Amino acid sequence: MASRPKGFGMTAELARKKDAKYDPELDAQIRGWINQVIGEQVLKPEPDAKDFHESLKDGVILVNLANALGGKIKGNQSKMAFKMMENIGKFLEFCDSLGVPKTDVFQTVDLYEGQNIPQVINGLHALARKAYSSGMPVPQLGPKEATANKREFTEEQLRQGEHVIGLQMGSNKGASQAGDHFGRPRQVAGANVYK
């Protein structure tokens, strides 16, 4: 893999902002969760963004994680770049099939090239929440995933709502147009005043 230059100006500033989002506590939590789900110590327990990237970059651990969660993915052990990215892609397809929102998962280059490790960690946390809320026998990680709270209204309740003026519409209390003439009267531009 070719190394990318760090960049200058705005590129460097965006990279610093991205790196500032790295949270060692979230890293440690997801490492422990992955080790528990797979059933063996595949990741070191100490948080380290560079180690996290190097450990997951080939996608083998991610494929094993997906298979531990019920996936049937045939992973590649090859160290060729496209095979490693294929492993990551298959893992992301598994996340999609499980119902993890696309806005929560990461992109292949985020992990493979180490461009956005905080997003990778957030994506794995989203997978952990979805797996737990789906009833899989996995430990809970982070807050419980939100569930739908559908409400049913009767026709009478809906009709009552038609007569309420919402506060977004403003208020007409005390409104009157009496005395609403101020300033100069309207001027007619371009009128021939001189005859």
Side-chain angles (χ1 to χ4, degrees):
M1 173 178 94
S3 63
R4 290 178 175 248
K6 284 288 184 195
F8 298 97
M10 186 179 224
T11 305
E13 184 178 335
L14 291 173
R16 279 193 301 275
K17 281 185 177 182
K18 212 180 301 177
D19 292 341
K21 291 181 181 179
Y22 172 75
D23 186 350
E25 187 177 327
L26 293 177
D27 183 350
Q29 289 173 0
I30 200 63
R31 284 171 183 265
W33 187 83
I34 290 171
N35 288 337
Q36 283 181 311
V37 171
I38 291 177
E40 60 180 281
Q41 180 112 6
V42 292
L43 294 170
K44 290 192 269 184
E46 304 84 31
D48 177 18
K50 186 172 175 128
D51 174 63
F52 192 80
H53 168 244
E54 290 300 320
S55 299
L56 297 180
K57 174 182 166 177
D58 62 1
V60 172
I61 292 174
L62 296 177
V63 167
N64 292 340
L65 176 63
N67 289 337
L69 293 172
K72 294 178 178 27
I73 301 173
K74 184 176 183 287
N76 297 305
Q77 299 294 330
S78 174
K79 294 297 178 190
M80 295 171 62
F82 71 94
K83 291 292 185 182
M84 292 191 281
M85 288 192 283
E86 188 177 86
N87 282 344
I88 297 169
K90 288 178 181 178
F91 171 77
L92 294 174
E93 287 173 10
F94 171 77
C95 290
D96 189 41
S97 71
L98 199 63
V100 178
K102 288 197 181 289
T103 55
D104 288 344
V105 295
F106 54 93
Q107 295 180 1
T108 303
V109 294
D110 290 340
L111 176 57
Y112 183 74
E113 295 183 3
Q115 289 185 2
N116 197 350
I117 296 301
Q119 182 60 37
V120 174
I121 292 171
N122 289 339
L124 291 169
H125 273 267
L127 171 67
R129 281 192 305 274
K130 181 56 83 175
Y132 183 78
S133 68
S134 298
M136 294 183 179
V138 296
Q140 182 176 359
L141 180 65
K144 184 179 173 192
E145 189 171 55
T147 56
N149 186 7
K150 189 169 175 151
R151 313 234 172 157
E152 299 290 332
F153 295 102
T154 64
E155 285 296 320
E156 182 182 337
Q157 289 172 320
L158 291 173
R159 269 187 264 109
Q160 287 175 348
E162 292 172 0
H163 305 294
V164 175
I165 297 175
L167 292 178
Q168 292 91 349
M169 313 258 187
S171 172
N172 62 355
K173 291 189 181 351
S176 166
Q177 290 186 348
D180 256 1
H181 29 225
F182 50 88
R184 293 176 52 194
R186 181 171 168 219
Q187 300 293 315
V188 179
N192 191 355
V193 182
Y194 306 104
K195 292 190 179 188

